[in-house]
Amino acid sequence: MPDHLFVGKSIPRTIEADKVTGKAVYINDLKRPGMLYGKILYSSHAHARIKSIDTSMAKQLQGVRAVLTGQDIPDVRVGFLKDQTVLKKDVVRQFRDEVAAVAAISPEIAEEAVSLIKVEYEKLPAVFDPFEAMKEGAPLVHETDARGRPLKSNILPLPWKFAVGDMEQARKDAAYIAKDTVSTTWVNQCCMGTSGCIAEFDQNNNLTLYDQTNVIFGHIGRISEYFERIGLAGKKIRVVNPVVGGSFGTKLDTDIYEFIAIQLALNTRKPVKILFDREEEFCALPPRQPAVFTIEQGCDKEGRLIFRHCEAILDNGAYTSWGATTPSVMIMPMSSLYRVPNVYFKATCVYTNNIYAQAMRGYGNPQATFAVETSMDSLAEAAGIDPAEFRFINRNRPGDETPMNLKITSCGLEECITAVRDRLQWDQKRGKQRGRGVGMASLIHVAGGARVTKSDGHGIRVKLDEFGHVDVIESGTDQGQGSPTVISQIVSEALGVRPEDIFLTFGDTALALWDAGTHASRHTFMAGNAAVIACAKAKRQILDMAVELIPRLVKGEFKRMKRKDPEFVEPDLDYGLIANPEDMDIRDRMIFPKKDPDHPYFKVPISEILRNGLHVGIGESRVVAAEAFYDPPTEMLNRDMKGNLSMTYAFGTTGVEVEVDEETGEVQILKLVAAHDVGKAMNPTLLLGQIYGAGYTGVGYGLTEEIKVRNGRVMNPSFRDYQMLTAMDVVPIEAVIVEPGDKDGPYGAKGVGEPGLVPTAPAIANAVYDAIGVRIRDLPITPEKILTALKERK
Amino acid sequence: MKKVSVSFTLNGDPVTADVPVTWTLLKTLRDYFELTGAKEGCGVGECGACTVIVDGQAVNSCLYPIPEVEGRSVTTIEGIAEKDGSLHPIQTAFLENNGVQCGFCTSGMIMSAKALLDQNPDPNEEDIRKGIAGNFCRCTGYVQIVESIEMAAKADK
Ligand code: FES
Ligand code: FES
């Protein structure tokens, strides 16, 4: 097998040159003829009855084209549990409740119109703490469920429960047990590009939605369902992505503003754009879900885990989006990070009058891993075993099947733990305290798709023109992860062309086949596999033509030469070399016989074959095009929450060395080592970017980031107050790439988009503990918390 | 609304904008000149996505009142590549070293980097980090952005 020409190489992102020249068109930049601008009026209370809405002044403002309230649009429920309507007409249950919407000829007029809408409310008792909300007699956030049946409690009807083994016996068998309660808070995805979309109907009421979603087909599913209920059943919906300014989970669900844009467009018969400002991004976009975990683990005398028992309470906020399904992902680290035979996990989602939550990079994994890895340190201490050693003892290994029935194929966790230990000089540094410490945490994550919907498929189309240009129509989306480059590398390699020959179209449902979504770190794995299959088909078409055409072309050339020069003697060639497509290959734009790759006559540019195959002059012309739909043989979770939902799993370990200033409580990261089993690095430079970026977000999660929600209201809706890390927050980060190769991945690759974030916060918390001997169990680890904990210790 | 007529140099060309007096430079660039490379990430001077260069200084154009641009020279991301399309070394470095991911911060980031390198062609890591301290990026963790700028500084020599 010759070396790869493109896969595994740090090919620059030249394909995305528009992004460095200001040419890339984001939703912010996109305009449609006659387009109007939509704005939303949000609630002014966390829980209140709407007594009246007066839109008369707003309607009179010049330039306003529509003012809608819940009275003006069909009363249709949307969302994961169908627990809200698009515009709220009776009761508001959180500050971000959408009460009215305006479309106007400019954003400024729309904004002014919104400020002219008068709403009269009657306040209702509210509840902001999930533990309070669970108590009997707590104010009910919802009086009825989606079907109108009365509700008695704020607890959601989502029984997230996982149990394997004999917990009672396991407790008896354990030599050491540790119990911790840890909590995590709301964090914002902080996409630099804010949310937005343009909804546009044609004359026949077919919808084109210019939208940043990373689940283009799921979007269509949800909007079609809505259409059915508002009298637009059967209408065609096309979702088109502009260039997307970051996603990180925000674009997984269909948000309320998207339905509002659709309603405004329907009402005005004009394209309508809604674009969030930064404050809306903080207040009206569902962030990462907060959770409180009580976790208990036990091990035997040798340090082998015997059981893990954990209960989680999740603040659901007032409505249900994907945030409420994060426990399905939490089950993965709970059951399968490290070898542990007896596992119990239960998660309860509770309605409150807080903002509701959605997905963010890693889904529920960062929260759950914070719990597991805090507990791993506690238990290691109880057992008197070095925490790195303790993790090593319990590491996952290739060939394991976990209590959740995950089938572990490739697994580089051993190498990751060892690499972190070495690079941090763990054994010298651990346990010295005096303000400096080291800590580590590991992760498991899906890395070969994630069957969370019935199809986990991904389709791809490949077509070549007569010049050898390759159009690749991807059914995934590009939110900045580098897929245009990586997919072009895979296609070039598989087809035998060059990355600069590849032209990619992402995110257009009218052109693409189907995809479950660019989420769950699945894109490279899924699209890569689909591309390999489609390219093999296209390549075969080319080679079929080549075996026919090359002898003809060569003989024709000889004839011409003979005509020119009667002396010319036709060389005696072995046409058997190119008799079968199997005997031919394509590499770097050239077709050649495998047995004689540099054959002077049989090595032919791909474009020559494509051209001669198309322009033949009789009714036999051919084009080369192929498609593939790859759906891996994985399983959905069954009723017991078991199932091998991914073809393969990512593993990794993050280690950090910190210095803690006991006077100020400041934590400084002296070194962060992120070791990741990625299967195979498709593009090492781009891969590092994923690890660095995710690692940084993880540091923010660990140390600074927090949406401060007081009585349901977001108190810090700006970058400055939110404290996202800047370039001045230096994190000396070192990535270690472990490449065991994965048998099912394209060229051995596994997914890597989310993993870097997952173990970062617990690694920091564990390092802080090593440095100063106090354990912070509540994220983020702020100086105030450290100072308080130090005071309590004294 | 009261309008002003503001004349200045934009990416080397003399221009005049007739826009409402309350408009910012960012709004004028995007809505009047249709130069949409500079982005609005916050609109209140916190994120740097709107960074352009005015008389050699990197500024947040979302805060810059348009009347104050009179007579000045403004350079935007659209104005730093060569006329034949060949990229500025900073642009090339961002592509080669993965200094760009989603790209939303990139226009501003590159303009801050350019202002820095124009003033200090040989910056150390700290200079670079200070130079982009006002430019937020959620995707990259800044590491490869800093490296890209280092790379561009070297390429320029
Ligand atoms: S948009 Fe100007 S600083 Fe954020
Ligand atoms: S590249 Fe996405 S915000 Fe910087």
Side-chain angles (χ1 to χ4, degrees), chain A residues 13 19-20 26 28-29 108 188-190 192 246 278 480 685 689 693 696 705 719-720 725-728, chain B residues 27 30 36 39 41 46 77 87 91 95 98 100-104 129 133 136 138-144:
Chain A
R13 293 176 85 124
K19 288 183 179 174
V20 298
Y26 296 78
N28 315 58
D29 314 320
E108 292 78 15
N188 191 271
Q189 297 87 347
C190 288
M192 289 305 297
R278 184 55 60 185
T685 303
Y696 241 75
E705 292 184 34
F719 277 134
R720 185 151 311 175
L725 300 186
T726 75
M728 297 310 285
Chain B
K27 189 153 173 66
R30 292 180 56 86
T36 54
K39 296 282 182 271
E46 292 182 354
I77 187 74
L87 299 179
Q91 293 171 313
L95 292 177
N98 204 30
V100 52
Q101 287 191 28
C102 81
F104 200 87
R129 285 187 177 270
F136 284 12
R138 188 54 149 181
C139 300
T140 63
Y142 307 101
V143 180
Q144 290 176 318

Side-chain angles (χ1 to χ4, degrees), chain A residues 176-465:
Chain A
Y176 306 99
I177 291 181
K179 188 170 178 180
D180 290 89
T181 297
V182 309
S183 56
T184 66
T185 186
W186 290 277
V187 290
N188 191 271
Q189 297 87 347
C190 288
C191 300
M192 289 305 297
T194 53
S195 304
C197 68
I198 300 172
E200 179 170 356
F201 284 91
D202 71 8
Q203 202 54 40
N204 298 323
N205 271 346
N206 298 307
L207 171 70
T208 299
L209 193 64
Y210 301 90
D211 192 289
Q212 311 188 80
T213 177
N214 59 330
V215 190
I216 51 176
F217 292 94
H219 227 43
I220 290 190
R222 287 183 287 266
I223 297 166
S224 318
E225 203 185 321
Y226 185 70
F227 271 18
E228 269 168 35
R229 308 180 66 193
I230 63 167
L232 292 180
K235 292 298 169 191
K236 178 74 183 160
I237 299 158
R238 178 184 186 185
V239 174
V240 184
N241 269 172
V243 180
V244 178
S247 178
F248 309 123
T250 52
K251 280 111 187 151
L252 199 66
D253 206 351
T254 306
D255 269 296
I256 301 302
Y257 76 87
E258 291 162 309
F259 289 110
I260 292 176
I262 290 169
Q263 282 295 350
L264 289 170
L266 203 53
N267 189 277
T268 59
R269 311 302 308 167
K270 297 268 190 193
V272 174
K273 180 190 222 173
I274 290 184
L275 183 66
F276 274 17
D277 61 28
R278 184 55 60 185
E279 189 176 328
E280 275 178 300
E281 197 76 7
F282 276 108
C283 296
L285 200 72
R288 190 193 290 288
Q289 187 125 14
V292 180
F293 299 87
T294 303
I295 183 166
E296 199 177 356
Q297 292 194 108
C299 67
D300 65 15
K301 281 212 177 64
E302 281 74 43
R304 283 182 302 240
L305 284 171
I306 292 182
F307 76 88
R308 184 178 291 157
H309 183 282
C310 181
E311 297 201 14
I313 305 293
L314 279 73
D315 183 340
N316 194 67
Y319 303 108
T320 312
S321 177
W322 293 119
T325 69
T326 51
S328 66
V329 172
M330 292 176 178
I331 292 170
M332 178 177 50
M334 283 292 166
S335 67
S336 307
L337 177 56
Y338 305 116
R339 284 176 161 178
V340 50
N342 300 289
V343 180
Y344 177 89
F345 176 65
K346 184 177 167 210
T348 308
C349 303
V350 189
Y351 280 127
T352 65
N353 294 108
N354 290 321
I355 48 175
Y356 68 94
Q358 231 251 93
M360 184 173 168
R361 202 172 195 173
Y363 224 66
N365 200 345
Q367 296 97 308
T369 298
F370 182 62
V372 170
E373 285 291 17
T374 299
S375 172
M376 287 298 283
D377 253 35
S378 295
L379 185 57
E381 186 173 18
I385 302 173
D386 172 85
E389 186 57 34
F390 187 59
R391 287 174 171 87
F392 192 85
I393 292 168
N394 289 292
R395 71 192 183 279
N396 304 90
R397 283 156 241 206
D400 282 359
E401 182 162 340
T402 77
M404 191 187 170
N405 293 3
L406 307 186
K407 294 188 175 68
I408 308 301
T409 51
S410 59
C411 173
L413 185 55
E414 176 173 331
E415 292 85 336
C416 291
I417 295 173
T418 306
V420 165
R421 208 169 167 165
D422 290 349
R423 306 245 178 154
L424 276 186
Q425 298 174 291
W426 180 276
D427 297 335
Q428 289 99 291
K429 291 193 169 160
R430 176 81 195 178
K432 302 282 183 304
Q433 295 215 348
R434 272 180 265 130
R436 274 199 183 201
V438 289
M440 69 162 69
S442 299
L443 85 114
I444 180 174
H445 201 68
V446 288
R451 191 167 298 273
V452 292
T453 45
K454 283 192 178 161
S455 170
D456 195 30
H458 182 103
I460 206 162
R461 296 183 141 152
V462 175
K463 70 185 180 74
L464 285 90
D465 68 13

Side-chain angles (χ1 to χ4, degrees), chain A residues 10-26 28-31 107-108 187-194 243-246 248 277-278 360-361 478-482 684-690 692-694 696-697 700 705 718-722 724-731 733, chain B residues 1 23 27 30-32 34-49 60 76-81 85 87-88 90-92 94-107 109-110 125-144 146-147:
Chain A
S10 287
I11 306 281
R13 293 176 85 124
T14 313
I15 200 165
E16 292 175 81
D18 281 1
K19 288 183 179 174
V20 298
T21 51
K23 283 195 170 74
V25 179
Y26 296 78
N28 315 58
D29 314 320
L30 195 61
K31 275 187 190 149
E108 292 78 15
V187 290
N188 191 271
Q189 297 87 347
C190 288
C191 300
M192 289 305 297
T194 53
V243 180
V244 178
F248 309 123
D277 61 28
R278 184 55 60 185
M360 184 173 168
R361 202 172 195 173
D478 168 27
Q479 48 244 24
Q481 71 272 30
T685 303
L686 266 61
L687 170 64
L688 289 178
Q690 290 300 307
Y692 295 155
Y696 241 75
T697 308
E705 292 184 34
S718 71
F719 277 134
R720 185 151 311 175
D721 295 334
Y722 178 73
M724 190 172 115
L725 300 186
T726 75
M728 297 310 285
D729 299 297
V730 186
V731 179
I733 181 166
Chain B
M1 188 173 292
W23 278 25
K27 189 153 173 66
R30 292 180 56 86
D31 291 356
Y32 188 87
E34 298 200 341
L35 294 176
T36 54
K39 296 282 182 271
E40 180 173 310
C42 69
V44 293
E46 292 182 354
C47 77
N60 287 331
T76 71
I77 187 74
E78 290 90 347
I80 67 167
L87 299 179
H88 186 281
I90 304 175
Q91 293 171 313
T92 308
F94 269 62
L95 292 177
E96 284 185 355
N97 202 53
N98 204 30
V100 52
Q101 287 191 28
C102 81
F104 200 87
C105 71
T106 307
S107 300
M109 203 61 92
I110 289 179
E125 184 184 334
E126 207 192 327
D127 299 330
I128 294 174
R129 285 187 177 270
K130 276 191 188 141
I132 58 166
N135 294 82
F136 284 12
C137 175
R138 188 54 149 181
C139 300
T140 63
Y142 307 101
V143 180
Q144 290 176 318
V146 172
E147 287 171 3

